[in-house]
Amino acid sequence: MEKISINTPAFLYNDISELPNDDINLMQEAVEARKKAYAPYSKFSVGCAILLDNGKIITGNNQENAAYPSGMCAERVAIWKASSEYPNMVVKKIAITASSSERKVKNPVGPCGACRQTLYEYEFNQKEPIEIIFMGEIGKVVVTESLISLLPFSFDSSYL
Ligand code: THU
């Protein structure tokens, strides 16, 4: 038996102003998307902005439903919107931000497990890493250089 450890390299910024200009711009697009979220039940709004290698930015936000499980996360709304419009897209970066009408979200909010798996499908297919940039409403920002670093021992189509 051998004990192995999985490394999750990430960069931690004190706030959005420390990011490179392009990343600030992408995060601002995510903020605008977040403001349009439909989250009347959780009061937790998430915005996502996806930069493609053709320079296009596709955004999405969470969409909730009175039958709670029928809702959808911002990241999956955005990635499926992007993939449906640009079927052979190459994704460069994804910015995510979350806020709540009930409290200030100060900690970085990473994508949920289902979103990580969904996003990884595209990273695996394109064979190029996708940078993930995530924050709350204010405060620290986490940047990872790839999706795989957020999803070790991941499942992909090579297992099928
Ligand atoms: N949510 C997202 O949009 N993305 C995530 O990665 C985590 C959670 C949404 C789903 C739901 O509308 C609300 O946040 C509370 O869970």
Side-chain angles (χ1 to χ4, degrees):
M1 195 270 282
E2 182 193 354
K3 185 177 181 186
I4 58 167
S5 52
I6 306 294
N7 189 14
T8 301
F11 300 91
L12 186 62
Y13 294 83
N14 282 317
D15 64 59
I16 185 175
S17 67
E18 289 185 356
L19 292 172
N21 281 341
D22 285 358
D23 292 358
I24 293 176
N25 179 49
L26 192 65
M27 187 56 85
Q28 278 165 349
E29 295 274 348
V31 168
E32 291 311 309
R34 191 193 73 212
K35 290 177 184 166
K36 292 184 267 187
Y38 178 62
Y41 305 105
S42 71
K43 318 253 188 261
F44 192 80
S45 295
V46 183
C48 177
I50 297 179
L51 174 67
L52 305 183
D53 75 341
N54 64 9
K56 302 270 185 217
I57 293 177
I58 312 295
T59 62
N61 48 38
N62 51 329
Q63 297 291 320
E64 298 186 347
N65 192 280
Y68 296 162
S70 299
M72 186 46 64
C73 291
E75 297 90 326
R76 278 176 284 170
V77 168
I79 195 78
W80 288 332
K81 188 173 153 190
S83 180
S84 62
E85 208 169 328
Y86 301 98
N88 298 310
M89 66 181 183
V90 173
V91 176
K92 303 302 277 185
K93 299 179 181 199
I94 300 178
I96 303 160
T97 171
S99 68
S100 165
S101 58
E102 296 180 328
R103 65 190 174 87
K104 222 20 154 203
V105 179
K106 297 175 184 160
N107 292 323
V109 177
C112 78
C115 286
R116 290 178 198 209
Q117 179 67 35
T118 303
L119 297 174
Y120 181 60
E121 177 82 11
Y122 298 90
E123 182 171 280
F124 178 79
N125 286 345
Q126 72 183 29
K127 296 179 180 62
E128 269 185 50
I130 301 173
E131 188 177 303
I132 312 292
I133 308 159
F134 57 92
M135 63 180 293
E137 183 180 357
I138 56 167
K140 294 196 189 318
V141 185
V142 173
V143 179
T144 65
E145 289 169 307
S146 72
L147 212 287
I148 191 69
S149 57
L150 291 174
L151 196 65
F153 297 113
S154 57
F155 186 82
D156 59 58
S157 56
S158 70
Y159 293 101
L160 298 175

Coordinates of all heavy atoms in Angstrom, one line a residue, residues 38-39 42 44-46 61-64 72-75 109-112 115, ligand 1:
Y38 N -32.2 34.2 -11.2 CA -33.6 34.0 -10.7 C -33.4 33.0 -9.5 O -33.4 31.8 -9.7 CB -34.4 33.4 -11.8 CG -35.8 33.1 -11.4 CD1 -36.7 34.1 -10.9 CD2 -36.3 31.8 -11.4 CE1 -38.0 33.8 -10.5 CE2 -37.6 31.5 -10.9 CZ -38.4 32.5 -10.5 OH -39.7 32.2 -10.0
A39 N -33.3 33.6 -8.3 CA -33.1 32.8 -7.1 C -34.0 33.3 -6.0 O -33.6 33.6 -4.9 CB -31.6 33.0 -6.7
S42 N -33.6 30.4 -2.7 CA -32.4 30.4 -1.9 C -31.9 31.8 -1.6 O -31.1 32.0 -0.6 CB -31.3 29.7 -2.7 OG -30.8 30.4 -3.7
F44 N -29.8 33.2 -3.1 CA -28.4 33.1 -3.3 C -28.2 33.1 -4.8 O -28.5 32.2 -5.5 CB -27.9 31.7 -2.7 CG -26.4 31.6 -2.6 CD1 -25.7 32.1 -1.6 CD2 -25.7 30.8 -3.6 CE1 -24.3 32.0 -1.5 CE2 -24.3 30.6 -3.5 CZ -23.6 31.2 -2.5
S45 N -27.6 34.2 -5.3 CA -27.4 34.5 -6.7 C -26.0 34.1 -7.1 O -25.1 34.5 -6.5 CB -27.7 35.9 -7.0 OG -29.1 36.2 -6.7
V46 N -25.9 33.4 -8.2 CA -24.6 33.0 -8.8 C -24.6 33.5 -10.2 O -25.5 33.4 -11.0 CB -24.4 31.5 -8.7 CG1 -23.0 31.1 -9.2 CG2 -24.6 31.0 -7.3
N61 N -26.6 32.4 -15.2 CA -26.9 32.6 -13.8 C -27.8 31.5 -13.3 O -28.4 30.7 -14.1 CB -27.5 34.0 -13.5 CG -28.6 34.3 -14.5 OD1 -29.4 33.4 -14.8 ND2 -28.7 35.5 -14.9
N62 N -27.9 31.3 -12.0 CA -28.8 30.2 -11.5 C -30.3 30.5 -11.7 O -30.7 31.7 -11.7 CB -28.5 29.8 -10.1 CG -28.5 31.0 -9.1 OD1 -28.2 32.1 -9.4 ND2 -28.8 30.7 -7.9
Q63 N -31.0 29.5 -12.1 CA -32.4 29.6 -12.4 C -33.1 28.6 -11.5 O -33.0 27.4 -11.6 CB -32.7 29.2 -13.9 CG -32.0 30.2 -14.8 CD -32.6 31.6 -14.8 OE1 -33.9 31.7 -14.7 NE2 -31.8 32.6 -14.9
E64 N -33.9 29.1 -10.5 CA -34.6 28.2 -9.6 C -36.0 27.9 -10.0 O -36.5 28.5 -11.0 CB -34.5 28.9 -8.2 CG -33.0 29.0 -7.7 CD -32.8 29.5 -6.3 OE1 -33.8 30.0 -5.7 OE2 -31.7 29.4 -5.8
M72 N -31.4 25.1 -11.8 CA -30.1 24.8 -12.4 C -29.1 25.9 -11.9 O -29.4 27.1 -11.8 CB -30.3 24.8 -13.9 CG -29.0 24.4 -14.6 SD -28.2 22.9 -14.0 CE -29.4 21.7 -14.2
C73 N -27.9 25.4 -11.7 CA -26.7 26.3 -11.3 C -26.3 27.2 -12.5 O -26.4 26.8 -13.7 CB -25.5 25.4 -10.9 SG -25.7 24.5 -9.4
A74 N -25.7 28.3 -12.1 CA -25.2 29.3 -13.1 C -24.2 28.7 -14.0 O -24.2 29.0 -15.3 CB -24.6 30.4 -12.3
E75 N -23.3 27.9 -13.5 CA -22.2 27.3 -14.4 C -22.7 26.4 -15.5 O -22.3 26.5 -16.6 CB -21.2 26.5 -13.5 CG -20.5 27.4 -12.4 CD -21.2 27.4 -11.1 OE1 -22.5 27.4 -11.1 OE2 -20.6 27.5 -10.0
V109 N -16.6 31.3 -3.6 CA -17.6 30.2 -3.8 C -17.2 29.4 -5.0 O -17.4 29.9 -6.2 CB -19.0 30.8 -3.9 CG1 -20.1 29.7 -4.2 CG2 -19.4 31.6 -2.7
G110 N -16.7 28.2 -4.8 CA -16.4 27.3 -5.9 C -17.6 26.6 -6.5 O -18.6 26.6 -5.9
P111 N -17.4 26.1 -7.7 CA -18.5 25.4 -8.3 C -18.9 24.1 -7.6 O -18.0 23.5 -7.0 CB -18.0 25.1 -9.8 CG -16.5 25.3 -9.7 CD -16.2 26.2 -8.6
C112 N -20.1 23.8 -7.6 CA -20.6 22.5 -6.9 C -20.0 21.3 -7.6 O -19.5 21.4 -8.8 CB -22.1 22.5 -6.8 SG -22.9 22.0 -8.3
C115 N -21.4 20.7 -11.1 CA -20.9 21.6 -12.1 C -19.5 21.3 -12.4 O -19.1 21.4 -13.6 CB -21.0 23.1 -11.6 SG -22.7 23.7 -11.6
Ligands
THU1 N1 -25.6 27.4 -7.2 C1 -25.0 27.7 -8.4 O1 -25.6 28.4 -9.2 N2 -23.8 27.2 -8.6 C2 -23.1 26.4 -7.7 O2 -22.0 25.9 -8.1 C3 -23.6 26.1 -6.4 C4 -25.0 26.5 -6.2 C5 -27.0 27.8 -7.0 C6 -28.0 26.7 -7.0 C7 -29.1 27.4 -6.2 O3 -30.0 28.2 -7.1 C8 -28.4 28.3 -5.2 O4 -27.1 28.5 -5.8 C9 -28.3 27.8 -3.8 O5 -27.8 26.5 -3.8

